[in-house]
């Protein structure tokens, strides 16, 4: 993990462990394509929420405003990816090391955002105004 710290913000590169450390070329390509889509904005907001676990502020707009300079990029490695965090909340790190649970949640968010995107893209259409279809979608997500 590379690390740079200033103003209660940290810039770091974080490599995954276990199941996200080895990805197929198609999975890596899908993740890298996400960088240029609306999905990246959702992914960034989810990552910031995870990194802000335990902070006193309970206002999403305020958090996004306070960390407007926060960014997360996916960096391709030989058989997978790593996360490059810029201006992340320092509270997610202790002595320059990301908290293990937060690291696990970051890669869970990555996995889940990609999975749900693929589910919505490749499945029969879900009518998101129908409570029945929303329930079916939630069960599909939870089953995964």
């Amino acid at each position: 993990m590379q690390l740079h710290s200033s103003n209660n913000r940290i810039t770091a590169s974080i490599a995954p462990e276990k199941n996200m450390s080895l990805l197929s070329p198609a999975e890596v390509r899908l993740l890298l394509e996400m960088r240029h889509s609306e999905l990246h904005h959702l992914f960034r907001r989810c990552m910031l929420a995870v990194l802000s676990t335990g902070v006193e502020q309970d206002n999403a707009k305020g958090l996004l405003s306070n960390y407007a300079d926060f960014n997360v990029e996916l960096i391709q490695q030989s058989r997978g990816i790593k996360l490059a965090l810029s201006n992340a909340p320092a509270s997610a790190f202790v002595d320059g090391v990301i908290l293990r649970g937060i690291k696990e949640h970051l890669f869970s968010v990555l996995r889940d955002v990609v999975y749900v995107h693929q589910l919505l893209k490749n499945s029969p259409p879900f009518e998101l105004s129908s409570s029945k279809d929303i329930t079916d979608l939630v069960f599909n997500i939870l089953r995964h």
Side-chain angles (χ1 to χ4, degrees):
M1 177 173 75
Q2 298 173 350
L3 185 70
H4 171 71
S5 176
S6 66
N7 298 353
N8 287 334
R9 306 245 197 293
I10 290 190
T11 297
S13 296
I14 302 170
E17 295 176 10
K18 300 179 185 173
N19 60 346
M20 291 295 289
S21 63
L22 185 62
L23 299 171
S24 74
E27 291 169 322
V28 171
R29 192 171 42 256
L30 174 70
L31 291 170
L32 293 175
E33 287 171 2
M34 182 178 77
R35 294 185 292 198
H36 306 292
S37 71
E38 180 61 33
L39 194 57
H40 179 76
H41 299 293
L42 170 66
F43 176 62
R44 178 187 166 272
R45 291 188 306 266
C46 291
M47 289 284 164
L48 181 57
V50 169
L51 289 163
S52 301
T53 300
V55 298
E56 290 183 27
Q57 184 175 16
D58 192 24
N59 177 331
K61 286 184 182 180
L63 187 64
L64 288 169
S65 175
N66 289 344
Y67 289 95
D69 58 350
F70 167 71
N71 197 24
V72 59
E73 292 293 327
L74 301 170
I75 308 297
Q76 184 172 5
Q77 298 186 116
S78 59
R79 290 291 279 162
I81 53 97
K82 66 180 177 180
L83 300 175
L85 305 175
S86 301
N87 301 308
S91 59
F93 297 79
V94 173
D95 294 331
V97 178
I98 192 162
L99 296 168
R100 183 172 149 211
I102 290 180
K103 179 179 179 178
E104 290 171 0
H105 284 303
L106 291 175
F107 285 98
S108 293
V109 165
L110 175 59
R111 178 200 65 218
D112 292 347
V113 165
V114 169
Y115 172 74
V116 171
H117 174 70
Q118 287 298 100
L119 178 67
L120 289 172
K121 183 178 168 186
N122 296 326
S123 296
F126 289 96
E127 183 57 51
L128 297 180
S129 61
S130 158
S131 63
K132 179 187 175 302
D133 279 0
I134 291 171
T135 300
D136 288 344
L137 177 61
V138 168
F139 274 91
N140 274 302
I141 293 167
L142 292 174
R143 193 170 301 118
H144 174 65

